Amino acid sequence: MLKDCKTVWNNCLKVIRENIAEQSFKTWFEPIVPIRLFNNVLTIQVPSQFFYEWLEEHYVHVLRTAIDAELGVEGRLEYSIVIDKGNEKNKPYVINIPTSSKTTANSMVKENRYTNTAQNEGYKSPFELRDLDSLHLASYLNPHYTFDNFIEGDCNRLARSAGYAVANKPGVTSFNPLMLYGGVGLGKTHLVQAIGNHIKNTASNKFVLYVSSEKFTNQFIDALKNNNMQNFTNFYLQVDVLVIDDVQFLAGKERTQEIFFHIFNHLHQAGKQIIMTSDCPPRELKGLQDRLLSRFKWGLTADLQQPDLETRIAIIQKKLQTEGIFIPPMVIEYLAHSVDTNIRELEGVIVSLMAQASLNRKEIDMDLARQTLQNIVQHVDKEVSIEAIQKKVVDHFGLSLEELKGKSRRKEYVIPRQIAVYLAKEHTEHSLKSIGYHFGGRDHSTIIHAIQSVNDMLKTEQEVKSAIQAIQKQLKLKVTK
Ligand SMILES: Nc1ncnc2c1ncn2[C@@H]1O[C@H](COP(=O)(O)OP(=O)(O)OP(=O)(O)O)[C@@H](O)[C@H]1O
């Protein structure tokens, strides 16, 4: 049966969705419209040049994988870029994945798939390229993850420096295995891939293999099903540097743990480097055999923690510099203050912001940043924002925002200012530092003083108490008794 472009693209979207974050999917793939399928070439329409470039920079692998799965390796992707939104005129921008100079998806994936084996030339391998490919054993490193673009801070210093030592002397330091752990989106994959890339670039004779535990498990199950166990094990025993991501995923999978134990022992004894990541420290890994856990502790275990404000600012700056995009410092600080959960979320916000700016042809300023944050960061939605508090306070007292945030020490400004600070502390999750930032850059001792003053006034000044209660009611907040 002949496939139509919509069906093919919908199937591609399924593959893509599984491989990227939900927010990125919404931002970058939902706006795409499939418009043609002819001679195994799928044409998709994208809203702007920037959009196309972003897809090319960031999603070329996943696009290629999806096209491979749907149209086979001969399949091609072509972009049609909308150049005049008003007239809906399209300029067919022909980007043929395998041949475009920039869009090297096909060749890149192939190169990457085979790099490991190619590096082993001269090394007696029992496998041919096609064996690896048909077994789907070879994984690849993402070359974008490097030490250069990994920002160092107190939150990751030990992990980074141990990683760097291992990258320079794989298998030689006592950091074997190197186990990095930490919460979601804090840079574990980035760091271990940076180690892998560094080794690949500096010691090209080493066979570096990056694999997620999930993929390892699936490969193992496939090998069992297809009677390929010998090939599976032999393949892993050839590795010089094994990077295995998210080992918590092995929990409860007894047989996978057994084969991994065997591979681990063999590699370790042969002086090969093992690098692992997990979402918690080894002692808290449930469902893993004790003998594996004790081996995980042989080398060095280091954690990655939530980055502090300065590190978050540096990460945003680096990201923008890489993309060649300018955002006013105030907006950078605002974003770093507002998104303090993890770095992936922070990156998601920046990407959405850039997309919004590009799609709507707007400058990235505070207003756009606020709007974008309101739409995508849940906790901003759940609680009242400092801006909303400030707005209600100035309305209540008949002041301007500048007067509220300004330096004047006149009583008619100071008391409303202190009340607004108090409400921000009571009803938002912002830190004292962050509140200070929203009130004209005041330091945290000034904020503590303001809160203390309001607490004192609440006991004696009925007028202040009534004002606070009225503002709380208007904002539908819990009222202070
Ligand atoms: N210190 C850092 N400097 C620059 N970018 C960072 C840093 N830490 C994390 N990132 C970026 O944040 C994003 C999320 O990081 P990564 O995927 O490595 O997290 P993770 O800890 O492996 O998360 P998960 O547990 O969900 O797999 C990546 O795009 C990564 O490049």
Side-chain angles (χ1 to χ4, degrees):
M1 200 183 82
L2 273 181
K3 289 181 178 176
D4 65 282
C5 66
K6 275 196 190 135
T7 313
V8 167
W9 180 240
N10 279 339
N11 291 340
C12 287
L13 287 180
K14 283 183 202 150
V15 176
I16 293 166
R17 190 171 213 140
E18 277 171 16
N19 284 289
I20 68 172
E22 190 56 25
Q23 185 58 40
S24 310
F25 182 83
K26 283 205 173 101
T27 309
W28 298 106
F29 289 92
E30 282 188 354
I32 296 176
V33 183
I35 50 176
R36 190 169 45 243
L37 178 66
F38 182 67
N39 276 349
N40 229 15
V41 178
L42 174 69
T43 307
I44 55 173
Q45 185 183 295
V46 295
S48 69
Q49 174 78 18
F50 169 82
F51 205 98
Y52 146 68
E53 284 171 7
W54 190 273
L55 288 173
E56 287 289 280
E57 282 290 319
H58 297 88
Y59 300 111
V60 78
H61 291 289
V62 73
L63 276 167
R64 185 66 245 173
T65 309
I67 294 289
D68 270 2
E70 265 310 288
L71 300 176
V73 286
E74 298 302 318
R76 303 281 181 274
L77 186 66
E78 200 177 274
Y79 296 83
S80 167
I81 299 175
V82 177
I83 51 170
D84 181 340
K85 273 187 137 183
N87 297 323
E88 287 297 317
K89 274 189 203 150
N90 301 334
K91 173 186 168 204
Y93 200 111
V94 179
I95 290 133
N96 221 328
I97 282 196
T99 50
S100 141
S101 59
K102 199 171 170 216
T103 318
T104 47
N106 198 24
S107 50
M108 230 156 107
V109 172
K110 280 225 160 93
E111 233 175 65
N112 276 312
R113 269 190 203 155
Y114 299 148
T115 308
N116 293 328
T117 319
Q119 283 172 355
N120 280 346
E121 263 168 11
Y123 187 107
K124 264 228 137 312
S125 159
F127 305 111
E128 296 293 328
L129 290 181
R130 63 174 178 281
D131 291 324
L132 292 183
D133 208 27
S134 63
L135 282 169
H136 301 294
L137 287 178
S139 300
Y140 52 85
L141 294 161
N142 179 341
H144 291 297
Y145 290 134
T146 62
F147 280 105
D148 271 356
N149 60 20
F150 186 82
I151 302 293
E152 189 175 343
D154 289 344
C155 53
N156 59 31
R157 205 173 310 283
L158 174 65
R160 190 201 170 277
S161 50
Y164 196 65
V166 163
N168 283 303
K169 291 192 171 157
V172 178
T173 66
S174 55
F175 307 154
N176 198 13
L178 174 64
M179 167 69 134
L180 304 180
Y181 70 89
V184 170
L186 294 181
K188 301 182 292 293
T189 302
H190 185 138
L191 190 51
V192 293
Q193 292 232 0
I195 301 171
N197 280 319
H198 188 90
I199 299 172
K200 254 177 72 177
N201 295 335
T202 53
S204 58
N205 59 334
K206 300 266 188 229
F207 178 0
V208 182
L209 184 76
Y210 167 85
V211 68
S212 66
S213 298
E214 188 172 6
K215 184 157 185 191
F216 180 85
T217 305
N218 292 337
Q219 290 171 349
F220 171 65
I221 294 168
D222 279 355
L224 277 179
K225 267 199 294 208
N226 302 323
N227 261 338
N228 255 336
M229 272 315 293
Q230 191 62 26
N231 275 0
F232 174 82
T233 322
N234 285 347
F235 172 76
Y236 273 94
L237 297 186
Q238 287 183 65
V239 172
D240 291 310
V241 179
L242 176 62
V243 184
I244 179 148
D245 212 352
D246 291 325
V247 288
Q248 75 277 0
F249 191 82
L250 300 179
K253 302 188 174 75
E254 294 294 323
R255 294 195 65 188
T256 315
Q257 287 184 37
E258 238 162 71
I259 190 79
F260 182 61
F261 180 73
H262 172 66
I263 292 168
F264 183 104
N265 282 341
H266 179 96
L267 293 180
H268 198 270
Q269 270 165 22
K272 306 300 166 80
Q273 179 72 46
I274 300 159
I275 302 161
M276 296 178 291
T277 74
S278 132
D279 66 354
C280 61
R283 65 175 180 283
E284 287 172 21
L285 276 168
K286 301 269 175 313
L288 258 80
Q289 298 166 0
D290 286 346
R291 58 183 189 162
L292 258 184
L293 288 179
S294 72
R295 272 161 180 75
F296 289 178
K297 294 180 213 155
W298 277 354
L300 180 85
T301 301
D303 66 339
L304 288 139
Q305 293 179 353
Q306 253 165 253
D308 54 27
L309 179 71
E310 287 71 21
T311 312
R312 296 201 297 278
I313 292 179
I315 289 172
I316 303 181
Q317 283 168 337
K318 183 79 188 177
K319 178 110 192 128
L320 296 174
Q321 184 195 340
T322 315
E323 302 303 336
I325 286 176
F326 173 81
I327 297 188
M330 227 185 121
V331 179
I332 296 181
E333 273 191 42
Y334 172 71
L335 295 175
H337 269 287
S338 311
V339 187
D340 56 5
T341 42
N342 71 54
I343 301 165
R344 186 174 297 118
E345 187 159 275
L346 191 58
E347 285 189 344
V349 171
I350 301 169
V351 168
S352 300
L353 199 53
M354 289 194 283
Q356 289 298 329
S358 159
L359 297 175
N360 304 321
R361 294 163 200 228
K362 277 190 190 162
E363 290 288 314
I364 296 181
D365 56 14
M366 278 301 263
D367 282 347
L368 190 64
R370 271 195 205 104
Q371 269 171 29
T372 310
L373 269 183
Q374 293 284 354
N375 290 338
I376 61 181
V377 180
Q378 282 179 351
H379 67 258
V380 172
D381 274 343
K382 274 189 258 154
E383 68 182 34
V384 63
S385 67
I386 296 186
E387 286 79 11
I389 292 174
Q390 291 172 331
K391 171 96 185 40
K392 280 283 175 269
V393 172
V394 295
D395 286 352
H396 183 92
F397 290 99
L399 307 177
S400 70
L401 204 53
E402 288 68 37
E403 286 164 339
L404 185 81
K405 293 190 194 179
K407 298 265 178 274
S408 168
R409 307 204 46 80
R410 284 165 56 183
K411 203 174 165 199
E412 60 264 43
Y413 300 148
V414 171
I415 292 181
R417 191 180 297 143
Q418 291 181 332
I419 288 177
V421 167
Y422 166 88
L423 290 169
K425 179 74 189 103
E426 284 292 298
H427 299 290
T428 75
E429 295 287 314
H430 286 268
S431 62
L432 296 175
K433 200 167 175 182
S434 172
I435 296 174
Y437 167 80
H438 283 85
F439 282 85
R442 290 179 152 79
D443 64 21
H444 100 299
S445 58
T446 313
I447 299 302
I448 292 178
H449 173 73
I451 296 165
Q452 191 51 50
S453 307
V454 174
N455 277 323
D456 292 344
M457 286 187 284
L458 275 170
K459 290 179 201 142
T460 51
E461 315 268 330
Q462 188 50 45
E463 229 178 292
V464 169
K465 192 170 184 176
S466 307
I468 290 177
Q469 290 174 331
I471 295 165
Q472 286 170 325
K473 276 184 199 148
Q474 283 184 25
L475 288 167
K476 300 194 171 48
L477 300 170
K478 191 163 169 265
V479 174
T480 306
K481 295 281 171 231

